[in-house]
């Protein structure tokens, strides 16, 4: 297959991802505007980050002044999974896909782009480049629409749309947790810890929400790694 | 929000998000062998998403019960293996229905 054919193939694979992103980033745009961001700020955040969970946590920290360390810790924890995906995908790339191409295209490593790319026998740089196009535009354009229409839609509809992004998180976790009792236990630990950090006044008063997510996630994942080690698998979400 | 604050945060956020993706991609040439690290990295996406969703999602809409219904529907639809978009849409529609019902009851 020529590079052009590879690119077009990737482009086609990316379309369903882009459509999915459109709806989720729409919800992100609405949320960002609802907590005080301008529409262009929401769009800029989406264009430069391209990540749902990280952005959602990020904008919640941004509204408070001077929590740069909390921002850094939350982004590193939430986005740590991308490192693993990058490592995993780096094993399947063609010879030409290295150096500057990896530095450029690494930016586009998202859960869904990774999932499609890693299912290929060999990942060429043309295919990967094509794969990123629709998701990137979907993510950016959806944010723009959400941020602009957020003010026009009735309050009750906007409210309901705020749940979309969490619906997506559930859709990623629930099916895998159902199939794997160990994962279900680890997810349960994270859920209980997160509840404690929210509802126990002693914890909620002293630990910011962004940091609490990082602490709960790291503790639960460490407990999982200790008690339920994963044997040699692809193992990426 | 001050623009300076916004851009400083944006720089920290976008910079760390980019580097955590690109550095391992560009520099990694071997596979991680350590089982603990591999397992930790396997679990972390799930624990992050769970801790972000609960209990924050319950307070993402105007009404706790509507949000709880939306979340429950999301779980039920998701374990049936429906796509991200379908799950998200069902969750939103459930919230809307419960909120409309509550409004009717309240009148």
């Amino acid at each position: 297959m020529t590079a052009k054919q590879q690119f077009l193939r990737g482009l086609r694979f990316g379309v369903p991802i882009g459509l999915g992103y459109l709806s989720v980033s729409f919800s992100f745009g609405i949320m960002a505007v609802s907590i005080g961001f301008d529409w262009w700020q929401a769009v800029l955040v989406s264009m430069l980050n391209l990540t749902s969970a990280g952005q959602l946590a990020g904008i919640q920290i941004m509204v408070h002044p001077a929590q740069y360390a909390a921002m850094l810790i939350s982004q590193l924890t939430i986005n740590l999974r991308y490192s693993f995906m990058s490592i995993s995908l780096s094993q399947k790339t063609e010879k030409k896909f290295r150096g500057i191409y990896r530095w450029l295209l690494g930016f586009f490593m998202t859960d869904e782009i990774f999932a499609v790319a890693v299912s290929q026998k060999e990942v060429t740089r043309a295919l990967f480049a094509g794969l990123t196009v629709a998701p990137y535009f979907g993510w950016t354009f959806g944010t723009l629409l959400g941020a602009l229409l957020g003010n026009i839609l009735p309050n009750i509809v906007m409210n309901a749309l705020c749940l979309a992004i969490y619906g997506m998180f559930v859709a990623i976790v629930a099916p895998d947790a159902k199939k794997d009792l160990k994962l279900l236990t680890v997810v349960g630990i994270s859920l209980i810890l997160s509840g404690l950090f929210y509802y126990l006044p002693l914890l909620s008063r002293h630990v910011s929400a962004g940091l609490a997510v990082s602490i709960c996630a790291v503790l639960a994942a460490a407990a999982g790694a200790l008690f339920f080690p994963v044997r040699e698998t692809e193992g990426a979400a | 929000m001050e623009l300076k604050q916004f851009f400083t945060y944006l720089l920290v956020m976008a910079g760390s998000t980019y580097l955590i993706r690109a550095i391992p991609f560009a520099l990694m040439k071997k596979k991680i062998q350590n089982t603990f690290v591999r397992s930790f990295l396997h679990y972390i996406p799930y624990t992050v998403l769970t801790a972000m969703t609960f209990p924050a999602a319950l307070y993402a809409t105007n009404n706790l019960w509507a949000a709880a219904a939306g979340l429950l529907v999301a779980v039920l639809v998701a374990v049936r293996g429906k796509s991200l978009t379908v799950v998200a849409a069902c969750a939103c529609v459930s919230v809307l229905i419960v909120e409309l019902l509550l409004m009717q009851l309240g009148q």
Side-chain angles (χ1 to χ4, degrees):
Chain A
M1 233 187 288
T2 65
K4 192 183 164 195
Q5 283 170 321
Q6 289 277 356
F7 183 85
L8 291 175
R9 201 166 117 91
L11 197 66
R12 223 176 30 246
F13 286 151
V15 171
I17 304 178
L19 289 174
Y21 281 5
L22 198 65
S23 53
V24 174
S25 62
F26 187 83
S27 156
F28 171 78
I30 287 178
M31 286 174 118
V33 169
S34 77
I35 64 171
F37 288 85
D38 284 333
W39 67 268
W40 62 267
Q41 291 176 317
V43 173
L44 204 56
V45 168
S46 278
M47 291 182 77
L48 293 179
N49 289 278
L50 192 67
T51 170
S52 57
Q55 286 182 206
L56 183 60
I59 59 166
Q60 286 164 359
I61 294 172
M62 273 180 164
V63 293
H64 305 288
Q67 293 196 359
Y68 299 108
M71 173 67 95
L72 189 65
I73 294 167
S74 93
Q75 295 303 306
L76 292 181
T77 330
I78 293 171
N79 295 329
L80 185 61
R81 63 185 194 281
Y82 294 136
S83 292
F84 191 46
M85 294 173 194
S86 292
I87 292 165
S88 181
L89 200 68
S90 70
Q91 324 272 321
K92 298 190 86 171
T93 48
E94 66 169 340
K95 270 218 169 101
K96 281 189 295 179
F97 194 169
R98 62 178 172 198
I100 187 72
Y101 293 99
R102 289 209 182 174
W103 284 110
L104 284 174
L105 293 170
F107 171 82
F108 299 94
M109 194 74 66
T110 71
D111 304 58
E112 291 75 17
I113 290 174
F114 166 77
V116 172
V118 84
S119 67
Q120 301 297 304
K121 221 170 173 180
E122 187 189 53
V123 183
T124 62
R125 58 189 193 201
L127 179 117
F128 194 84
L131 185 57
T132 64
V133 175
Y136 189 74
F137 279 99
W139 190 248
T140 304
F141 193 58
T143 307
L144 177 67
L145 281 181
L148 292 179
L149 293 181
N151 298 319
I152 299 167
L153 290 173
N155 196 22
I156 190 164
V157 175
M158 260 177 68
N159 243 308
L161 287 170
C162 282
L163 213 68
I165 204 159
Y166 295 108
M168 185 179 95
F169 296 165
V170 170
I172 294 171
V173 175
D176 289 351
K178 183 192 165 197
K179 275 181 270 174
D180 180 355
L181 195 63
K182 291 172 180 173
L183 178 60
L184 186 64
T185 312
V186 173
V187 163
I189 295 172
S190 180
L191 186 122
I192 291 167
L193 285 175
S194 181
L196 291 178
F197 271 90
Y198 196 92
Y199 294 113
L200 283 186
L202 186 72
L203 289 172
S204 62
R205 214 178 300 145
H206 296 289
V207 184
S208 71
L211 199 57
V213 168
S214 305
I215 296 172
C216 297
V218 168
L219 286 178
L226 205 59
F227 298 115
F228 314 118
V230 181
R231 303 283 163 228
E232 193 60 28
T233 53
E234 278 298 290
Chain B
M1 189 191 320
E2 268 183 62
L3 280 187
K4 196 182 149 200
Q5 181 185 329
F6 171 73
F7 281 110
T8 315
Y9 268 131
L10 189 61
L11 186 73
V12 174
M13 190 178 168
S16 56
T17 303
Y18 169 67
L19 291 176
I20 207 166
R21 284 167 160 158
I23 290 176
F25 197 41
L27 302 184
M28 191 67 198
K29 272 137 204 163
K30 279 189 231 152
K31 218 169 177 175
I32 293 179
Q33 298 297 343
N34 184 303
T35 307
F36 181 85
V37 176
R38 289 183 60 88
S39 306
F40 181 81
L41 290 171
H42 168 67
Y43 286 124
I44 201 87
Y46 299 104
T47 59
V48 164
L49 295 179
T50 304
M52 285 200 69
T53 304
F54 184 84
L58 295 177
Y59 306 99
T61 73
N62 271 344
N63 185 287
L64 177 70
W65 297 108
L71 210 52
L72 185 68
V73 168
V75 173
L76 292 176
V77 177
V79 294
R80 279 157 200 262
K82 302 291 180 199
S83 73
L84 301 187
T85 315
V86 174
V87 174
C90 289
C92 294
V93 171
S94 309
V95 172
L96 197 60
I97 291 172
V98 174
E99 288 207 349
L100 287 172
L101 279 176
L102 289 173
M103 270 168 70
Q104 291 296 318
L105 289 174
Q107 275 167 2

